């Protein structure tokens, strides 16, 4: 790791100010990605601005059916929240299967979506739920937030503060683990929301998380796993890597979508 | 016997230290003035080094020096060697290319060490390494053994034309070909044995300390055999004469073979310590471990197995190409030859066997012994072939094996080995019963009703442990003898130290070796300490690999203990005025049989050291040394049965049952043996389903971290059903065969046989990932 200066921000404003002052600085949330990247010397931020001690960024709040998850909320808190489970069990299940217990107690939702690893789980939920990403300066719809592999719509120095969504009528997530990393080799999040059916696929797309229009249409007219039987998955948009080729991923996308519908009930 | 003697489930004495974080590993060693090394490694799979410019790096903060291969060569440090000579069938010796501890002209794999930076901290060493400018001229690279043999492949060593190291054979080619030509049925199959990375929990590390006043070196290192390290470093690498080199392998966190070998880092850190005048420590990180720890397996074989009309095997013909990587590691030549082809008879009476093995250089990490070493490759090949034959012949795989079992012992195979004892049918029957083999059809129907594919597969393995009779291995090319040593040192108050040349790095020697003493003398196990891993403390020994610590190491302890007992009996007879023949030692006492005369053990020890009243002419003291050279290999064997359920939608394999029925000979501590089997099975299942070293075409290692190299985890594994059907080994005093590698040897074919049974397609290579199983399933239907 290269030398870096650590700052423990006390508030969102404090963090944004610190970040603005240090052009080569980075926000630090759970550090599960950033710190290991630094240890491998693949990242060299001059300053780390730690967000995990900002009370406003941490925790889950529920107002009617509106859910807000603070950016610095660890996966384990999401997995364990009874109130959230009562409204949207799928996101709790998803969070409970990220990485291992160490990762779930350190890694955060804000860090996960800001990183936008193409194999990460949360992007599927955020896109599938049609959530809104709140930042220190604006709100961004999920459809506009994830822009490519490790690419998101944030401006320089912009910070994710929370993820908000309306609890869906139904939702389900099915994940096929990469046997080595246990990230999603393919993960599909399905949701029946007030604005319609949404199906988001992670782990498989060569451009990162994406929605599957064919599945959405099929499920909109018939919410059942069987409704997906006749719908095809275009392998040409999918990743091929040392773990799985696009053809196999195309199969997984369909199988996981059906399982997600079954899980949603 | 007794609660702490042979056969008792004594909990491990060493575990308190390990479980409370008090183990002392090489990286825990801190000595005054110690500095840190960083190795600069080749980023290219094959290149020539045009120039190295370290001037900027040397001026960086904290940097003590940057040293390269030219300086190492100028100081007369020798090349790394392979210690087992193999001759090709044309009589020519194997073609050993030069492996310099620091490459001076050519780099041959990604990770090849080029220079060392020594600095005040590991971070400063790494910072400076980035400032060293190395100008490489890239050369074409090849990573696959078959491709390396092909015409026009890149040439890796000038010594080895066409990258061929040797073309060796074992057995009778004519008899084998004749039997195949006249066979009623011949099964043909191509077998791939995937390349693995050993991944011990503790990465390699070394600390080199040069003492200029004494002109003496100390090397702390993560070694399975510190004496062999010392011998090789002084005899071949000219680091220092043996009496000026102390090698200490303290607590070592697993090895699986990868810590047998002497690597460049030990040698270079010792040399750098002398050059810089400071102790130099290096600790590998995980990616460096993937890039530089010797890999295992990587065979491609063509197999023919011939049967007569009665389904008896009449011949086996094997043509193997083995990838040895960029350089010949210490025992690399022995693994695909004498540890492999000699086991190709398996548990079966096969009148004619012929194996041809070509070993090949590629631009990859050197390949050497990894848990099982050669025997997993032989077992996988044989057990997949016989299973395939059973399917082709339309007979039960169990019955085909049963029909061909060797039943009389000793049995001379056509491939050197002479099996001393075994009862293969006992393990087969026990495994089939434990697996409820006859109930499989009903279980399969249940799975089908759920939309799952169920399969069952077995593997009847045999392996050779307790390596090895020194004269025999010497005649086959080994550069060393493979005996073991022990010293049993009774202290004046009766407590005991056992100095053993075996080395424990997870095997539990501090417990099992102490059990032998505790059981024989009837003294508490706490009064026995096992000392190992330090060439200054322990007499020359050969170390731990090939499941040899029990069969060979403990046999040496028994021999030394016999001498100690004999002397103790003489002293006791003298003190109690009894006949030496009547003295017995039990329950911590030395007694005159049939009387109430007895002396506590400690009093006899004390008498030996006070020496006030010893038999006439007897030397004081109670301490004996023994060297034990085994009479033969030992032959653990067994039957493993795997039952799997496949999800046809994803290709995912669920191991619903795994049965292991083993014959390990006599068992010292069943709990430790079960632990060894569990660990071996986990690694074997890892090979079968998960693990695979992969390079890209340019020779970059794609699986250089746990994010891409899939290690087995607890939830990948079922709860194992173990049993033992032991036939004592007639060739060593404890009747031990060895248990350390069996799990890794026997399990891969059982699993692949089960999966191919489930999916109805035999074209499947390891690791059987969900994708490959899904593809094979869809190709079959
Ligand atoms: C062993 C292991 C297994 C894992 N398995 C999984 C898995 O199965 N599924 C999965 O989805 N993930 C997995 N992860 C990823 C993990 O869950 C985290 O989500 C991920 O590491 C990022 O979150 P973090 O809080 O650690 O972010 P950090 O590492 O702290 O930050 C990541 C990036 O986001 C930026 N950032 C952080 N917070 C903000 C913010 N509020 N606003 C703007 N930018 C920000 C940082 O500057 C950095 O660039 C795994 C990680 C590990 C180490």
């Amino acid at each position: 790791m290269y030398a870096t200066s650590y700052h423990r921000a006390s508030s969102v404003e404090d963090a944004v100010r610190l970040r603005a002052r240090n052009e080569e600085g980075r926000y630090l949330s759970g550090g599960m990605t950033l710190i290991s990247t630094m240890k491998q010397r693949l990242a060299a931020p001059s300053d780390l601005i730690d967000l995990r001690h900002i009370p406003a960024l941490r925790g889950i709040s529920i107002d009617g059916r509106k859910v807000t998850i603070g950016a610095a909320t660890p996966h384990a808190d999401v997995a364990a929240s009874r109130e959230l489970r009562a409204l949207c069990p799928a996101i709790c299940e998803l969070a409970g299967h990220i990485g291992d217990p160490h990762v779930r107690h350190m890694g955060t939702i804000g860090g996960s979506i800001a990183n936008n690893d193409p194999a990460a789980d949360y992007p599927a939920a955020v896109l599938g739920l049609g959530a809104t990403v709140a930042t220190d300066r604006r709100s961004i719809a999920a459809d506009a937030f994830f822009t490519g592999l490790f690419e998101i719509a944030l401006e320089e120095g912009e910070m994710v503060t929370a993820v908000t969504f309306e609890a869906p009528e139904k939702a389900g997530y099915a994940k096929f683990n990469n046997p080595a990393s246990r990230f999603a080799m393919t993960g599909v999040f399905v949701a029946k929301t007030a604005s319609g059916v949404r199906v988001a696929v992670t782990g498989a797309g060569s451009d990162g998380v994406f929605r599957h229009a064919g599945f959405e249409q099929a499920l909109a007219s018939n919410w059942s796993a069987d409704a997906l039987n006749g719908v095809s998955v275009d392998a040409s948009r999918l990743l091929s890597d040392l773990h799985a080729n696009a053809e196999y991923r195309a199969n997984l996308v369909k199988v996981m979508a059906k399982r997600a519908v079954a899980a949603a009930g | 016997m007794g609660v702490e003697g042979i056969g008792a489930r004594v909990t491990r004495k060493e575990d308190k230290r390990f479980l409370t974080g008090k183990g002392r590993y090489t990286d825990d060693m801190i000595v005054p003035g110690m500095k840190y090394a960083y190795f600069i490694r080749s980023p290219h799979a094959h290149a020539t080094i045009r120039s190295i410019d370290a001037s900027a790096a040397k001026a960086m903060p904290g940097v003590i020096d940057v040293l390269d291969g030219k300086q190492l060569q100028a100081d007369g440090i020798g090349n790394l060697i392979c210690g087992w000579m193999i001759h090709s069938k044309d009589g020519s010796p194997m073609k050993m290319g030069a492996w310099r501890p620091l490459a001076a002209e050519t780099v041959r794999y990604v990770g090849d060490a080029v220079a060392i930076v020594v600095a005040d901290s590991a971070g400063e060493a790494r910072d400076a390494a980035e400032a060293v400018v190395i100008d490489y001229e890239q050369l074409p690279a090849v990573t696959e053994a078959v491709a390396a043999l092909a015409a026009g492949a890149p040439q890796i060593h000038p010594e080895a034309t066409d990258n061929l190291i040797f073309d060796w054979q074992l057995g009778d080619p004519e008899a084998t070909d004749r039997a195949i030509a006249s066979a009623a049925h011949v099964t043909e199959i191509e077998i791939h044995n995937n390349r693995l990375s050993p991944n011990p929990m503790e990465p390699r590390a070394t600390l080199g300390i040069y003492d200029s006043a004494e002109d003496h070196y100390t090397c702390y290192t993560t070694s399975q055999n510190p004496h062999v390290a010392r011998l090789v470093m002084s005899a071949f690498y000219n680091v220092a004469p043996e009496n000026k080199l102390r090698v200490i392998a303290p607590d070592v966190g697993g090895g699986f073979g990868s810590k047998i070998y002497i690597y460049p880092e030990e040698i270079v850190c010792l040399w750098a310590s002398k050059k810089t005048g400071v102790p130099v420590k290096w600790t590998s990180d995980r990616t460096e471990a993937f890039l530089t720890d010797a890999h295992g397996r990587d065979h491609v074989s063509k197999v023919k197995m011939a049967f007569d009309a009665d389904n008896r095997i009449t011949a086996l013909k094997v043509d193997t190409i083995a990838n040895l990587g960029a350089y010949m590691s210490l025992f690399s030549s022995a693994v695909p030859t004498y540890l492999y082809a000699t086991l190709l008879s398996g548990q079966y009476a096969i009148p004619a066997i012929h194996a041809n093995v070509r070993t090949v250089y590629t631009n990859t990490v050197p390949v050497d012994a990894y848990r099982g070493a050669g025997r997993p490759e032989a077992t996988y090949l044989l057990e997949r072939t016989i299973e395939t034959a059973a399917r082709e012949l339309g007979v039960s795989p169990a019955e085909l094996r049963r029909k061909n079992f060797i039943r009389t012992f000793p049995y001379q195979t056509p491939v050197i080995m002479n099996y001393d004892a075994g009862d293969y049918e006992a393990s087969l029957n026990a495994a089939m019963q434990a697996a409820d083999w006859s109930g499989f059809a009903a279980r399969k129907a249940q799975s089908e009703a759920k939309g799952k594919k169920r399969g069952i597969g077995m593997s009847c393995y045999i392996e050779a442990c307790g390596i090895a009779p020194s004269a025999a291995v010497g005649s086959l090319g080994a550069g060393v003898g493979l005996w073991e040593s022990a010293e049993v040192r009774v202290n004046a108050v009766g407590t005991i130290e056992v100095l053993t040349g075996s080395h424990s790095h997870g095997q539990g020697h501090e417990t099992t070796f102490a059990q032998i003493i505790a059981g024989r003398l009837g003294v508490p196990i706490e009064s026995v300490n096992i000392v190992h891993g330090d060439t200054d403390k322990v007499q020359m020994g050969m170390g731990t690999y090939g499941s040899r610590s029990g069969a060979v190491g403990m046999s040496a302890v028994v021999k030394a203990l016999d001498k100690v007992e004999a002397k103790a009996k003489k002293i006791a007879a003298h003190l109690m005025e009894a006949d030496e023949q009547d003295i017995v030692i039990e329950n911590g006492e030395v007694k005159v049989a049939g009387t109430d005369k007895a002396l506590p053990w400690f009093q006899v020890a004390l008498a030996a050291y006070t020496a006030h009243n010893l038999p006439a002419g007897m030397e004081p003291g109670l301490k004996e040394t023994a060297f034990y050279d085994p009479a033969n290999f030992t032959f653990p064997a067994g039957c493993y049965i795997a039952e799997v359920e496949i999800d046809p939608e994803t290709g995912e394999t669920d191991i619903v049952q795994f049965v292991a029925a083993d014959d390990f000979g006599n068992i010292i501590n069943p709990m430790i043996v079960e632990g060894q089997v569990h660990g071996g099975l986990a690694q074997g299942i890892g090979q079968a389903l998960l693990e695979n070293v992969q390079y890209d075409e340019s020779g970059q290692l794609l699986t250089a971290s746990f994010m891409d190299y899939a290690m087995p985890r607890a939830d990948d594994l079922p709860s194992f059903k173990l049993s033992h059907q032991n036939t004592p080994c007639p060739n060593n005093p404890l009747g031990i065969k060895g248990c350390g590698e069996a799990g890794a040897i026997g399990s891969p074919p059982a699993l692949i046989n089960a999966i191919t049974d489930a999916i109805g397609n035999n074209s499947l290579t390891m690791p059987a990932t969900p994708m490959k199983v899904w593809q094979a399933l869809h190709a079959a239907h």
Side-chain angles (χ1 to χ4, degrees), chain A residues 2 41 180 182 248 251 259, chain B residues 127 130 647 649-650 713:
Chain A
Y2 298 103
R41 297 188 161 217
R182 301 214 170 166
Y248 178 61
N251 171 66
R259 289 183 186 179
Chain B
D127 287 343
E130 288 173 7
D647 179 346
E649 291 185 332
T650 61
R713 287 175 244 205

Side-chain angles (χ1 to χ4, degrees), chain B residues 1-11 13 488-490 494-498 509-530 554 557-558 561-562 564-565 585-589 601 668-669 734:
Chain B
M1 288 292 175
V3 289
E4 293 176 338
I6 291 175
R9 292 180 170 268
V10 180
T11 52
K13 291 176 71 174
V488 174
R489 195 159 77 186
V490 183
T495 58
I496 295 162
E497 279 118 29
V498 178
H509 294 173
E510 290 170 41
T511 307
T512 51
F513 281 52
Q515 278 180 259
I516 296 174
I517 311 286
R520 277 274 288 268
L521 302 180
V523 298
I525 200 162
E526 293 74 40
S527 68
V528 185
N529 267 30
I530 308 302
M554 282 185 182
V557 174
V558 170
L561 192 56
D562 288 344
V564 164
E565 271 196 19
I585 304 179
E586 58 186 30
N587 296 328
E589 287 187 326
W601 169 253
I668 306 299
N669 183 326
L734 293 167

Side-chain angles (χ1 to χ4, degrees), chain A residues 31-53:
Chain A
M32 293 291 90
T33 295
L34 184 53
I35 299 290
S36 52
T37 315
M38 290 171 68
K39 281 186 175 171
Q40 291 172 290
R41 297 188 161 217
L42 299 172
S46 61
D47 296 78
L48 287 179
I49 297 123
D50 189 352
L51 309 181
R52 283 186 30 118
H53 302 273

Side-chain angles (χ1 to χ4, degrees), chain A residues 26-27 29-34 75 99 108 121 160 175 182-183:
Chain A
R26 290 275 278 278
Y27 293 123
S29 198
M32 293 291 90
T33 295
L34 184 53
H75 312 327
T108 65
D121 295 295
V160 175
K175 171 181 184 178
R182 301 214 170 166
F183 274 72

Side-chain angles (χ1 to χ4, degrees), chain B residues 466-468 482-484 502 548-557 628-630:
Chain B
I467 53 172
L482 289 169
W483 45 267
E484 196 46 271
S502 297
R548 68 192 301 277
S549 298
V552 190
M554 282 185 182
S555 295
V557 174
Y628 174 82
D629 197 4

Side-chain angles (χ1 to χ4, degrees), chain A residues 60-72:
Chain A
I60 301 162
S61 64
I62 292 172
D63 179 8
R65 294 192 65 78
K66 189 176 175 214
V67 177
T68 304
I69 305 175

Side-chain angles (χ1 to χ4, degrees), chain A residues 223-237:
Chain A
W223 181 268
S224 78
D226 286 342
L228 302 180
N229 284 340
V231 187
S232 66
V233 178
D234 180 4
S236 68
R237 293 180 56 195

